[in-house]
Amino acid sequence: MGVEQKLGNMGVVTTRLEQLVNWSRTNAMWPMLFGLACCAIEMMAAQAANYDMSRFGMELMRASPRQSDLMIVAGRVSRKMGPVLRRLYDQMPYPKWVIAMGDCASCGGVFNNYAIFQGVDEIVPVDVYVAGCPPRPEGLIHGVLTLHDKVNHEKLSKWA
Amino acid sequence: MDSIPVSYLLALSAVLFVLGILGVLLKRNALVVFMSLELMLNSGNLAFISFARSFEAISAQVVVFFVMTVAAAEVAIGLALMVEIFRTKHSIDLDQMNSLKG
Amino acid sequence: MLVVFFILAFVAVGTAVSMLVTRSSIYAALFLVLNFATVAVLYLILGAPFIALTQITVYAGSVVVLFLFVIMLLGAERLPGGESLKWQRLVAIGLAIVLSADFGVKMIGENTMLTSVTAPPEGYGAPAEIGKILFTKYAFPVEITAVILLVAVVGAILLAKPDEKPSVREGLRKKMDQEG
Amino acid sequence: MIGEVILEALWKGIAVLLFLTAGFAYLTLFERRVLARFQVRLGPNRAGPFGLFQPVADAFKLIFKEELIPSYADKVLFVLAPIITVIPSLIVLAVVPFGGPINLFGKMVNSYVADVNVGILYISAVTSISVYGITLAGWSSNNKYATMGGLRSTAQMISYEIAMGFCFIVPVLLAGSMSLVDIVQHQNETMWYIFMQPGAAVILFITMLAEVNRAPFDMPEAEQELTAGYHSEYSGMKFALFFMAEYIKVIAVSVIFVTLFLGGYHFPFVDQIPVIGPYMGPVVMLAKTMVMLFIIVWIRSTLPRIRYDRLMAFGWKILFPLALLSVLVTAVVVLLV
Amino acid sequence: MDEKLSPIVTALTERFGCEAQEFRGEISLILPAEKLTGLLQSLRDEFSFEQLVDVTAVDYYPQEAPRFHVVYHVRSLSQGLVLCVRVPLDGNAPSTPTAEGVYPSANWYEREVFDMFGVTFTGHSDMRRIVMPADWQGHPLRKDFPLGYEEVQFTFNFDTVTKRKPQPKE
Amino acid sequence: MTDIREVTVDELKHLVSERAAQGETMLLNMGPQHPSTHGVLRLLLELDGEIVVSCIPDIGFLHTGVEKNMEAKNYQQAEVMTDRLDYLHPIGNNLVYCMAVEKLCDLDVPPRAQAIRVILAELTRLGSHLIWLGTSALDLAAMSVFLYTMREREKILDIFELVSGQRMMTTYLRPGGLWRDVPVEFEEAVYKFIDHMPSQVDEYQDLLDQNELFIDRTKGVSVIKSEEAVRWGITGPVLRAGGMAYDLRKALPYSTYEQYDFDIPTRTEGDIYARYAVRVDEMRESLKIIRQALNKLPLGPVRSNNRKYVPPPRSELGVSMEALIHHFKLWTEGFTPPVGSVYAAVESPRGELGVFMESDGSAKPYRVHYRTPTFANLQIMPLLTRGYFVADVVAAIGSIDIVLGDADR
């Protein structure tokens, strides 16, 4: 959503640009501090010394949705939280991605009841689902890398 | 390098001074009136500096220095007053500051 | 040089007028800063670098920041502007015209005794020179200014201090203790 | 003649700007790596060898990010604020000498952009206007957190500026000049001012940390209370400008501190090295600046944040009298010796 | 029954005419709503049950009178005792006096019971919903409130369930 | 999906001061998505400058409907839910659930199982305190402590993974004992951990205790004394920091806690620093308990022999028809406790964690209610913050160690 609309189809140049931009987006993907429940603890563990997501340039957890690229929905989303989550998602600037971390965020998990959204994909579009209750930090990192893979295959025409 | 006639500088100073007067007379927002006062002091400073350059008199620069200090003191007091008035009256409209007791 | 002066003069007058015209106090303060900055550049041209930088430090760095601070603190961003009495406005403009005319006449009449400004001589307006004259010839005024500043600071603190209890916080704690 | 002067000032200015922008980019990486090491982590190491391209990735990502302007924001000031923040931090180093006069293509060139006889006053003037960007950013965002961050930083910067100003006076008194070139030269002739006036040096360091809002004085953007403080509503390049201003300011204050108290570009015996000796000034400067930056990062990784009221009390009740005292002591000593 | 508890229970049953039940060594006192405040008051002041541990409710739907039991647990920190007090309430507009005056901590517990069961507490200072959204319909922990079970997707009903699932806008 | 319904000032009029309506004070909404609310707590703060005039906590953003869901599952299935309540203390949640079921069914638990329960519960307490220490230090921007504590927590999680195969949500404790016996490496692993841990606790204390800034921000802030704490139903370290040595492990010992020799750390100041000090001391006491339990870890079975409630070991299935029938009944229908209601409580890292369980004689619990410490402790947020600064609110939230899953259920 930046300058790319104006570039149009410029063949090799745009392909190179596409690679460069995708590379930069994967390497500087700042997640939003969005811990909800149990998975947030494992997300913190993934940030911490043993797993160290900062290797991928992801330690700059932004508290403000305006400055984040990636929303890791770590935990169950209740009916009360859902609208808040959507508002935060709307406040994030494009391009933005969502990882549904854990079973609760992916599909409701064990909480199949009135209070919990049966998967955060009912509220926001999800790019990567990470299974586990809660997923191990390795699982989250794998999810992030899967997302990187996905971003790396994004086409310039899709950006705008 | 061509030169600037000092009268031009004085004219600029005069214009700024007049604008400051207009602000003081016409504005009702006490803060803006204050700013206009600063503007007037500033235009006076400009005249001083011009004369200092014109007559090669460094003393005029020293006077400007004093003016600045006094202006700073004035602002400190004035803004403190303003805060106090706002606390009691919930307004900084000059037209409402017509009674001695708040 | 003259071109530079005209540009600066234009900016100075423009910002001053904008300051008066704008209805937002924040913008007024910002225009004032711009005005001060342009005047500071004029000081530089006039060979007064010390005064120019002091002007920026004192006026732009402290005075107007204080203005902004107070505006934000009071939430007084948008307050009624110059909607005062009709005759007052007319009188003010009339006075302004008279004053300008007076100035103009004087200026044209006595233009001859004023020289033009060229590049300042070496060492003119240097801090050492100003310092020397400040602390010898004007030592007494310096002391008086110092006293004025001190009085102003003490006065400002006294004025802005909340008059009731020691502090809001203490009062709250006390109230809370009473309520249990 | 005048064209040549302008040209020289121009390329030197560009050199300083390049130094600052590149320095900013790699300072972020430096900070992230060093911080990670303090915290038994690795830090960014995937983008390029040793993560060296990490700043590039950050920059490109931010350039290609959508820019949002909140609908309730004051549009003009919202856009202007980041620019106002960056400019002072870029121009503040114009009066700092980065080395002695060097022979470049058969011409003696001074390693500073300008030698102003009121150099220190210039620095204090520029730092004093850098508060505008933050204040206006906070106000124009029309967000309570941002406004609080802006107000906090205004109060903080004004308060610490005073103590900082007094600390600036100490080198001026010692050198008898306001020009930074003279100050560095005088330190070279006598000794580093940090050994003459360690108290003033410490106070200046603390006030400078506060002036650039670094930990433990990072009140305006206190993440835990105010989410992201004054730049809560900023995204994309505008946010990057704030980020940039913050880090450039850190570099700038380190350089200024090195110049005022650590002997600037001088180091014993370095300039006597044959052939490259005269050119070593900038290298020495860089090394000293790196040490300062390392200390700043170290402090960040160790200390908790000071509380806001304590911060103001600390500035006014402790640092201010101490700075005043150090000026007095210096003045008396200079007068007597 | 605990030897420290039995004199207390005897005294209370005599004074308030409540019924004492014992199960696995735990005593429950059952008494009507209007006597509750007095009982709690004397429990706190005379028998040093300093702390209100918990307030909750049980719904005996479809039984109508009493449909609800509001259950209070009070604890004596000094003697190491727990006592359960149950207040039966009718299904139609259940209401009981608040215990907030005796134990201030009852504030949130009672709000939760109100939120989850629709039991109102008269005299309560802040009777709002606490965990559910303010505009929520119904009281989830009542037995007649559906669990809100979502169908599990299998191969045969994959498409129908997907169709029913809400899809977000990009 | 519904939109966010804005709460008007009118609805909260009775909670804020009159000055708020006139706009003299500022209403600041903190959360639910805020970096220092430890999850999704929302606080509505009324501020006079930087000073908090009133504070209205709003919870429920993590309301999971666990209690309702448990009513729809049988006793074994429902236990899975309990882990996810207080997600920093999953084994304790299992423990109190199992204790309630055991009380309801009058089940016995073999001593080896009890000892292992104690070890695991104390390890969980350590893990929870580590997270608390890290995050609350992070709230004060002492970021390195967080990473150090997370490093040690990984070691605890490794032990959990060793015994159960899961890092956090183990569901390892079952009514009547454990899921299965611990592996042989267990003792060695725990010994290694508890030998190593004291030096790490020293390290955290080195970072914080001598730190002027930390002390400055914690001493004398958010004071609550024990008398007031008792009235408000506060338990756990917050109560003990106010001067009252009340700990369920001593007051009403469960799981053979009476066998172990340990102290209840207390402070009298009742401020944030006291809570910090109490918790750090508790970490050392937990290590003491673990060592004692490990030293005299008895041998024997880890599951009750009562076949009506506890599934038989897998080895019996091939040889005993009766065992097969029990197994089939238990895993299809579940067990049916007698009619009645019980209340069981344990000392969680945050205070008294209790379970009120009512059975109607069927295989599913008729009503399960968790009495959670965070819910009770969070209630005093207005008291803890009124008259202090905004920055202290953050420190206060951290100091009462909230877990929103625990409060909202």
Side-chain angles (χ1 to χ4, degrees), chain F residues 81-318:
Chain F
M81 305 264 158
T82 63
D83 288 286
R84 286 140 183 100
L85 284 169
D86 180 348
Y87 38 82
L88 293 187
H89 187 228
I91 288 190
N93 296 345
N94 289 344
L95 177 60
V96 68
Y97 178 83
C98 293
M99 277 165 59
V101 177
E102 282 151 14
K103 208 167 178 181
L104 202 61
C105 310
D106 212 9
L107 267 175
D108 59 306
V109 182
R112 181 175 172 84
Q114 295 280 32
I116 292 173
R117 279 181 178 191
V118 167
I119 293 171
L120 292 179
E122 291 305 316
L123 281 176
T124 320
R125 184 186 313 278
L126 269 172
S128 169
H129 279 348
L130 283 176
I131 295 260
W132 158 79
L133 183 61
T135 50
S136 59
L138 196 63
D139 285 347
L140 305 177
M143 56 197 302
S144 296
V145 180
F146 168 71
L147 289 135
Y148 295 155
T149 58
M150 290 303 276
R151 179 183 61 190
E152 264 63 63
R153 181 175 170 271
E154 286 295 326
K155 299 195 171 102
I156 297 177
L157 292 187
D158 284 347
I159 295 175
F160 290 161
E161 198 172 3
L162 182 71
V163 297
S164 73
Q166 248 279 34
R167 278 160 58 91
M168 282 172 76
M169 310 308 174
T170 55
T171 326
Y172 181 64
L173 277 51
R174 299 289 163 85
L178 306 173
W179 169 45
R180 61 177 186 193
D181 204 349
V182 290
V184 282
E185 303 90 350
F186 174 72
E187 283 182 46
E188 191 196 328
V190 180
Y191 270 127
K192 207 174 140 201
F193 172 73
I194 57 177
D195 289 341
H196 166 74
M197 191 61 198
S199 62
Q200 301 299 317
V201 182
D202 291 342
E203 192 180 315
Y204 312 143
Q205 282 191 300
D206 283 348
L207 270 168
L208 295 174
D209 273 4
Q210 309 295 322
N211 196 321
E212 272 301 319
L213 291 179
F214 178 76
I215 291 169
D216 198 49
R217 290 208 49 179
T218 52
K219 277 214 167 135
V221 176
S222 291
V223 179
I224 186 150
K225 294 283 182 190
S226 58
E227 304 85 57
E228 201 170 2
V230 168
R231 268 172 14 98
W232 282 94
I234 310 295
T235 47
V238 184
L239 177 65
R240 293 194 280 275
M244 190 175 213
Y246 180 76
D247 189 323
L248 279 174
R249 289 175 292 175
K250 281 269 192 212
L252 294 166
Y254 53 90
S255 277
T256 67
Y257 265 108
E258 65 276 7
Q259 295 176 7
Y260 307 116
D261 171 42
F262 63 99
D263 301 321
I264 307 174
T266 52
R267 293 287 185 283
T268 49
E269 299 87 8
D271 55 6
I272 294 178
Y273 186 81
R275 283 168 230 151
Y276 154 79
V278 163
R279 288 202 181 94
V280 171
D281 287 354
E282 259 177 33
M283 283 160 76
R284 296 186 194 279
E285 294 301 321
S286 288
L287 288 171
K288 227 158 90 182
I289 297 173
I290 295 171
R291 187 175 294 279
Q292 288 172 40
L294 213 50
N295 281 345
K296 48 183 181 186
L297 186 65
L299 291 173
V302 293
R303 265 195 288 200
S304 163
N305 235 355
N306 191 336
R307 291 290 147 80
K308 283 271 171 282
Y309 300 108
V310 181
R314 199 148 266 281
S315 57
E316 272 182 35
L317 294 184

Side-chain angles (χ1 to χ4, degrees), chain C residues 143-166:
Chain C
E143 294 302 321
I144 291 178
T145 331
V147 171
I148 291 176
L149 270 181
L150 187 66
V151 170
V153 168
V154 172
I157 291 172
L158 277 182
L159 277 174
K161 211 174 163 187
D163 36 14
E164 332 98 70
K165 277 137 217 141

